[in-house]
Amino acid sequence: MSDLLTAGALLVTAAGVLSAVTAYAISRRISQALPVLLDFLIGAGLIRLAAEISWNSIMVAATVIAVRKIVAIGIAAAPRLQQP
């Protein structure tokens, strides 16, 4: 079961990279593509956490979620900072 979950996490990561590249190619805005990538990475991290429950896996998942939150706040604040 662990090998299956690890393969699933890898598949979700690859789908996230492909989706983020596609989102960037369509919108030409990193602010549109980066949240897509980070959402998929959160999903992959949670799948890995289900495969191997350890403090290292928990820290990786928590770090990706924290980065996602910080990026979301930064993206939301950027348009307000650029306005005169």
Side-chain angles (χ1 to χ4, degrees), residues 1-15 43-44 47-48 51:
M1 185 67 156
S2 179
D3 292 336
L4 183 62
L5 289 173
T6 302
L10 182 62
L11 184 63
V12 169
T13 301
I47 292 171
R48 279 189 50 140

Side-chain angles (χ1 to χ4, degrees), residues 18-45:
L18 182 61
S19 297
V21 168
T22 303
Y24 181 75
I26 291 171
S27 67
R28 295 286 182 208
R29 295 176 56 198
I30 194 72
S31 63
Q32 298 290 326
L34 194 57
V36 171
L37 175 63
L38 291 173
D39 284 341
F40 274 92
L41 291 178
I42 288 172

